[in-house]
Each structure stands twice: as C-alpha cells, then as structure tokens.
Amino acid sequence: MAFEEKIKELLDKRNQAKMGGGQKRIDKQHEQGKLTARERIALLLDEGSFEETDMFLTHRCTNFNMQKESFLGDGVVTGHGTIEGRLVYVFSFDFTVFAGSLSETVSLKICKIMDQAMKVGAPVIGLNDSGGARIQEGCNSLAGYAEIFERNIMASGVVPQISAIFGPCAGGSVYSPALTDFIFMSKENSYMFLTGPKVVKTVTGEDVTVDKLGGAMVHATKSGVAHFVGETEEATIEQIRELISYIPSNNMEDAPVCPTDDPVERMEDSLNQIIPDNPNMAYDVKDIIRAIVDDGRFMEVHEKFAPNIVVGFAHMGGTSVGVVANQPKAMAGVLDCNASRKGARFVRFCDAFNIPIVTLVDVPGFLPGTGQEYAGVIDHGAKLLFAYGEATVPKVTVTLRKSYGGSHIVMGCKQLRNDVNYAWPTAQIAVMGASGATEVLHGRALKEITDPEEKAKFIAEKEKEYNDQFCNPYNAAKYGYIDDVIEPRNTRFRVIRALRTLATKKDSMPMKKHSNIPL
C-alpha cells in the first residue's frame, strides 16, 4: 500500500470513529434534544485542546453474534484536554453506539485515562449517557464496572472527580457518579435510579414515572444525589467549567488564585444593619456571603437540597474558599439530617483539596422530633462534627447571631481545632436561648407563681438576666473561645487577613490507617 493510501486509510478511520454509531443515530440523538458525546467534549474543553485516546478500540464480544457489528472506539470517547488552560481528563459515553452501554472495552478505555489522571494529578470528568451494562457481555461488563469503581475509590481525595448526567444512568452504572465528588444533571433527559419504573411496579406495586423516580429535580431536591442542575446540556457544561476555576487539580496543589480588583479592605456598611433586632426574624445569609466575597461571585453547591444550610465556593482576596453558612431564611437555620450530611460532605471535600473553609454561624439548634431521631440525626450531626474536627485546612468562623448548644459545637467552634473565631456584636453563644433556659433554670419558681402578670414579669426579668449574662459574644470572648468581636462591615477584611496569616498553616493527624467517620 502506497504511503498516500495509508494516510488516507488513517484519515478515513478517524472520520469513521468520529461518526460513532452513524449519522442516523446521531440525528436521533439530536431529535431527543441531546448532544453527542463529541459535541459535549467540544463544549467542555478549550477549543482545539482535546487529545483523544483509544479511538480505534472495538469490543471483543462474540456472544449473540455481536462480532457482526462493531464501531471504532466502541461506546465511549476518552482523552484529555484543557479548561482555561488547565489539564483535565474526560470520558464521554456515546449513546449512538449500543446505547452507550458498558462493555469490557469501554471499561478499559475509562480505566486507562483514570490511571493517567492520578499519575499526573489532573481532574477526571465523566459525561454519562448510557444504557448501563452491555447485557451480551455478561459478567465481563460487571467486572468492567467494578474496575471503574475501584479507580473512583483510589482517586477519591487525590484528584477531583466530576460526573455529569445527560441521559439515562441506571442500575450499577449509578455508582461511579455516586463515588465522585460532584454530580451535575441536565434538567431535561437525564435520570438516575437503581431500579426502573417497571421493576418498581412489579416489586412494590407503585406506579411512578422515570422523571419522578430519578429525574434531575428529584435528586436535586429530595435525595441530594445531584449537586447541580442545569437548564440545558450547554448550561450544565458551563457550570462544570466554572467549578473547575475554584478547585485545585489535585490534593498536592493549593487552591487556585483568581486575580481581582475588589479591594481587600472594602467595607460593607449594609452589614451593620442586616441582623434584625428581633432574634426570631429571618434574613438571607446569601446577602452576607455575596457582600464579603470577591466581586459578589458565589457558586452555590446543593442549592436546592437542605436549604437551611448554604455551602459553596467563592474567592476572597483572590484565593478560593469554601463557604458554609446557616440559613435563617429556611427552617430558621436549624440543623437536620440532610443539612448535616450536606455540610459534612462539603467540608471534607474542601479539606481533601486544600481549600480554606469560612463558616458563618446563625444556628438555633438541631431540629427536634421523632422524624429526625428515627432518621439518625445523631449520626448525621456527628458527621458534620467529625468533618470540622478532622479538617486541617485554614478554618475561619464568624458567629453572626445565634449559636446554641450542640449546634454551636458542630459549626466550627474553637475546640474543633478552628484557627480563628470571630463574632459580630449580635452573636448569642449559649447552651440554649433565653426562653428555654428560663424554663429550665426557674421551672420550680414559675410553678409557684399563679398570677399571670406576675409570672410574665418574672419571665421577662429572668430572660433579660440570662441574655445579659450569656447571650452576647463577650462571655465567650472572656474565655478565649472567640478571638475577637468585630464590626460587621469589616468582616471581609478581617477574614481575608486571617486567611493570609494562615496560608502556611501546618496541622497533622495521629498515625492511623484511616478514620471511621459515622456514616
């Protein structure tokens, strides 16, 4: 074969591989409102940066006459490229090839780039649109999944792992995304579940649609499986690119620096009036977050799940930070099972990847009731406590208003190796609020007072006495539990200066194989 013919053969094979399952199936993908595997990669990566691997691999299955139909590259496109100049590895399931089902070959391709990502210290991004295990390959397909899962586990805490769901993700295939750090779902066409509606109907008799069983909004609001939801595939991919700007490429790097013109010493006068005089009135803690971070930019994580706690990424003084804040606007900011595990997972991610943690506290306690106790609020609350106590990154906490009882402890208190603890003058740090404390401390005396007016006067006096003694930041500051009481408008400057002071912080853990967090 002449040299020119060999070159032509190569180019023909490349073009053949790029067509996946063929034009007819590509058209069908578009008709369903979905992009192809390669179109997604093109949107995700910087233009011209994609280097594909294993373009010419084909499946090896001969069962059910599978040898009669094969496609170059099989059911996944793999390789590496850059996002804003930073190296990332990516795999994108190709639904036009056997519905993107996982074969032994597909697994080999994915595992290869995951191994390389760990070697060079780069994030792994998986774009999922797959019919699940390739049934014709039987246990080989199952083994392929297990190989991927093992690498997900080995890569955890080493390089960031991001999953996006752009179509079906069912059965065993859901576990790879579940093992990764963040899951994105597009609002249309994406779903995740272990067992589909037909199996559910057969086993439980329950009638449920695909969307109600495992759609994007179900996982964003009810299960908490999805961290982000995009209106379209394009919007979802843009969210992934934004997330990459906040996180380092691996666990040995510092958090990324993003230059800003926002002055470090900027004062925000509005913060001096943001806390209502009535301690039972709500406000939006996101207003405080946007006021103190660079350029008001805050990328919220798990926005639609457990809204009583807010977590997300921002930059302060150009450096990436993870923000955790109680939200008085939702359930008065109490901690419950979902809020606790949401906060704990986020804190552990930040700690794994050297991202400082800024905590804003306004928490009246844990949500009471049998529903919470039966759901294991003790264990879930312990997760948040464990996460803060274990974290070795710089930790700065600002108490805004209420910080009561056990919820005070789990929100980055001084005794959990927190580095800097500030409080606003409005902070109330105590075992409980004045009303509950008065009932406990003076219950016997209250029973003896029969006159309603006299009782009301007595309660008011004792509540004032309790507030004066405990519900202020100065009592905690007296013991060194609060490092300083700061003027709210100076919060940005004080937090950034604290973070810069802590930039060279070194903290360690006792020698152990690994901890046993209360899962």
Side-chain angles (χ1 to χ4, degrees), residues 101-383:
S101 57
L102 188 117
S103 65
E104 179 189 17
T105 304
V106 168
S107 169
L108 288 171
K109 290 180 68 171
I110 293 172
C111 290
K112 181 186 283 189
I113 64 135
M114 292 183 75
D115 289 339
Q116 290 178 345
M118 282 187 275
K119 287 178 184 177
V120 303
V124 178
I125 302 171
L127 309 180
N128 292 267
D129 185 5
S130 168
R134 193 168 296 175
I135 298 172
Q136 295 92 330
E137 296 203 12
C139 59
N140 286 340
S141 179
L142 299 180
Y145 271 126
E147 292 284 358
I148 296 170
F149 300 161
E150 177 65 12
R151 282 160 178 80
N152 287 134
I153 294 164
M154 291 299 104
S156 182
V158 178
V159 295
Q161 299 180 82
I162 296 168
S163 298
I165 315 300
F166 292 129
C169 186
S173 62
V174 300
Y175 281 118
S176 180
L179 291 167
T180 61
D181 298 305
F182 297 102
I183 295 178
F184 292 74
M185 295 184 76
S186 62
K187 203 168 185 180
E188 303 297 330
N189 296 319
S190 71
Y191 58 85
M192 296 177 74
F193 43 63
L194 278 170
T195 51
K198 290 180 181 177
V199 176
V200 170
K201 173 69 174 174
T202 301
V203 176
T204 70
E206 182 182 7
D207 274 313
V208 63
T209 64
V210 166
D211 198 48
K212 292 224 172 142
L213 182 62
M217 294 310 296
V218 166
H219 287 308
T221 60
K222 296 184 183 299
S223 71
V225 168
H227 299 82
F228 301 93
V229 173
E231 290 293 325
T232 62
E233 288 193 29
E234 292 86 350
T236 307
I237 289 170
E238 189 55 42
Q239 285 181 321
I240 298 173
R241 288 179 61 90
E242 183 182 358
L243 176 64
I244 290 291
S245 72
Y246 289 103
I247 61 178
S249 293
N250 57 69
N251 64 342
M252 302 303 288
E253 289 187 3
D254 291 330
V257 173
C258 180
T260 178
D261 294 326
D262 195 350
V264 170
E265 65 278 4
R266 170 173 57 80
M267 292 186 180
E268 194 67 39
D269 291 332
S270 64
L271 297 184
N272 277 13
Q273 288 85 38
I274 198 167
I275 302 294
D277 291 333
N278 183 341
N280 296 319
M281 282 188 66
Y283 61 90
D284 192 345
V285 78
K286 294 180 194 177
D287 292 337
I288 297 176
I289 295 171
R290 295 189 189 100
I292 66 174
V293 301
D294 292 353
D295 307 306
R297 290 181 62 237
F298 176 59
M299 186 177 193
E300 189 170 354
V301 178
H302 261 147
E303 179 181 2
K304 302 179 189 306
F305 178 69
N308 40 321
I309 196 167
V310 175
V311 301
F313 297 105
H315 292 101
M316 295 193 73
T319 300
S320 285
V321 296
V323 180
V324 181
N326 306 113
Q327 176 58 292
K329 195 177 173 184
M331 298 168 61
V334 296
L335 290 171
D336 61 358
C337 294
N338 288 342
S340 297
R341 63 188 181 95
K342 170 181 169 178
R345 180 178 174 85
F346 183 76
V347 167
R348 284 171 67 83
F349 175 84
C350 290
D351 185 51
F353 290 102
N354 310 314
I355 301 172
I357 299 165
V358 176
T359 306
L360 305 178
V361 181
D362 187 349
V363 60
F366 282 91
L367 184 64
T370 55
Q372 287 294 303
E373 296 295 350
Y374 295 170
V377 70
I378 295 171
D379 274 349
H380 292 299
K383 291 173 187 173

Side-chain angles (χ1 to χ4, degrees), residues 425-446:
T426 45
Q428 303 172 4
I429 302 169
V431 174
M432 62 178 66
S435 177
T438 299
E439 288 184 21
V440 173
L441 295 171
H442 306 286
R444 184 172 296 177
L446 282 168

Side-chain angles (χ1 to χ4, degrees), residues 403-418:
S403 186
Y404 293 159
S407 61
H408 159 76
I409 297 170
V410 305
M411 287 299 298
C413 73
K414 197 71 175 173
Q415 292 70 33
L416 295 183
R417 299 196 304 175
N418 215 69

